[in-house]
Amino acid sequence: MTRDKRDEWYPVAIAAMLPPARGRDTLLLGEPIRVRAGDSGPQVETAEGRALPVTIAYGHVWTCLGTPGDLFPIPEAAQPGRRLVDVGMVRVKCSPLRAVENFLDIAHFPFVHTDILGSEPHTEVYRYDVRIRDEVDEVWATKVRFYQPQAAKSAEGGIETEYMYRVPHPTCSVLYKTSPPMPGEWDVIALFVQPLTEELCDVWPWMALYDDASSMAEMIQFQQMIFLQDRSILENQIPRRLPLDPGMESPTRADLTSIAYRRWLKRRGYTYGAQLVAA
Amino acid sequence: MSVSWTPVALTPDLPPGGAVPVRAPWGELVVWRSATGRLSCFPERCPHRGMRLSHGFVRGEMISCIYHGWRYDTAGQCRKIPAHPDLEPPAAIRVHSYPVAEAGGLIWIAKTLPESAPPETGAEPLRSLVIASPASAVTEAAGVVPGVPGPVSLPDLAAPLILALQDMGEETAVHALITPADSAARIAASRALEAFRRAVEAEEIAA
């Protein structure tokens, strides 16, 4: 199913922290837009003053330059007992697609998030399942397992964490991982990426966690630390855009999720932030 | 005149276990030195996910990519993929290895192996610095061309410095060497180089 990139919803602000009346100037798919608090909620408009559609979901304000459909569901957002965490925005000089792909990757944990999300010698990525669920048009990776020294702020020691990854939107991903205090439940961590240009993005992580012990500030700090470690990678990949053509990079079995993500992007015709011809 | 070897660093600036990024005329590269002192020069991007190898770390005789820990030996062959510890990496997973040499206190690279060795300088490494001007402007001010180290007299210095220019497009790296001198003379030479850099950059702005 192909869909125009302008018809997707994109995150542009935290709903609980709207810019003042004057607004905040930002970009969406290279177009200048302004986000501000209006009398009856958030307003987003183009440079010419055209009002854009707005919706609020998962703690964020979303907008669309074209004709929006439904935003993807995250049913866990409504489950009682979860703490919903607006982590804040991190600007990254990389393709929005590179930011999502890195989020889907576990093999980097021991090297980039050393002694937190991974540690040597526990580097092996076991077999997991990946498929494109045609009925919902989403990429899903399941039965992903990884040994983690400190899986979350709430973790007290090393555990083997199980993950599920989901890509319901070209620039958004949702992961489900074993909740350290409630091993039978999944913590939910999402990455909502606002494409400013093809090589620059604002990343808005959001979480729905089972954690009654940590303060909001501690949970935010933990996730920001993780994401800033990722940023040091994302800003140093060559090329800046995500290569969709096979041959430019050498994936292995551990990269099945990213292979499926790239294939899914191609199939949808979503190439904003992609490099199509090997340079 | 053909320039075959390109000077990219002074010897002391790349100790064993170090890796530095290099901008060559034909692309971005990494030059690294193994624990036993062997120099290697590869394309900067790890073929797995395009991460800069100069951000990686040297372990023994291999360089390890910081992203996923893929390890390459001094010839560029991938020897280890930590996500699959039991897998012998296929021979096809390798990076190109460019000629690299050390002579006259400088580290040199080339796209293909030149017929002759890089030149000696007869001097000791002083420091490298980057001038925000194209090599043509530095050549005009200094009288030496990229790739061929030569003596350059700077104001207030008793003896000329040996300068090796590295053309990096909009910018030029200057690798400076000095005939044996005490620390006061080295500091004076370093300051004279800074003044030279400012003068070249100012000339560039005026022009």
Side-chain angles (χ1 to χ4, degrees), chain A residues 54-211:
Chain A
V54 166
T55 191
I56 294 175
Y58 324 128
H60 289 74
V61 177
W62 302 70
T63 193
C64 173
L65 292 170
T67 310
D70 290 336
L71 184 62
F72 58 89
I74 305 180
E76 294 79 9
Q79 279 178 350
R82 288 180 183 270
R83 310 251 315 267
L84 306 181
V85 186
D86 306 326
V87 175
M89 180 263 274
V90 182
R91 177 157 300 178
V92 189
K93 274 181 271 176
C94 74
S95 153
L97 308 179
R98 286 253 194 219
V100 170
E101 183 177 85
N102 174 71
F103 188 71
L104 302 173
D105 181 83
I106 54 172
H108 73 281
F109 289 169
F111 303 97
V112 179
H113 310 297
T114 310
D115 296 336
I116 307 167
L117 300 185
S119 67
E120 293 183 88
H122 309 282
T123 56
E124 182 161 10
V125 175
Y126 305 107
R127 279 190 185 277
Y128 57 89
D129 294 341
V130 180
R131 68 185 190 96
I132 296 173
R133 292 189 181 168
D134 286 321
E135 64 280 15
V136 284
D137 197 24
E138 296 184 0
V139 179
W140 276 82
T142 55
K143 299 179 188 162
V144 184
R145 291 174 296 133
F146 208 72
Y147 175 85
Q148 300 198 312
Q150 195 195 348
K153 184 66 204 164
S154 59
E156 281 175 11
I159 54 169
E160 186 171 288
T161 308
E162 191 173 341
Y163 280 80
M164 292 192 293
Y165 286 93
R166 178 184 163 208
V167 187
H169 177 297
T171 70
C172 297
S173 179
V174 184
L175 75 77
Y176 301 83
K177 65 185 285 190
T178 314
S179 174
M182 294 184 72
E185 297 288 341
W186 300 99
D187 276 342
V188 175
I189 303 177
L191 204 68
F192 306 140
V193 181
Q194 173 187 352
L196 301 175
T197 71
E198 293 197 74
E199 300 186 1
L200 184 69
C201 57
D202 281 349
V203 177
W204 306 87
W206 175 84
M207 307 191 286
L209 308 181
Y210 289 108
D211 182 345

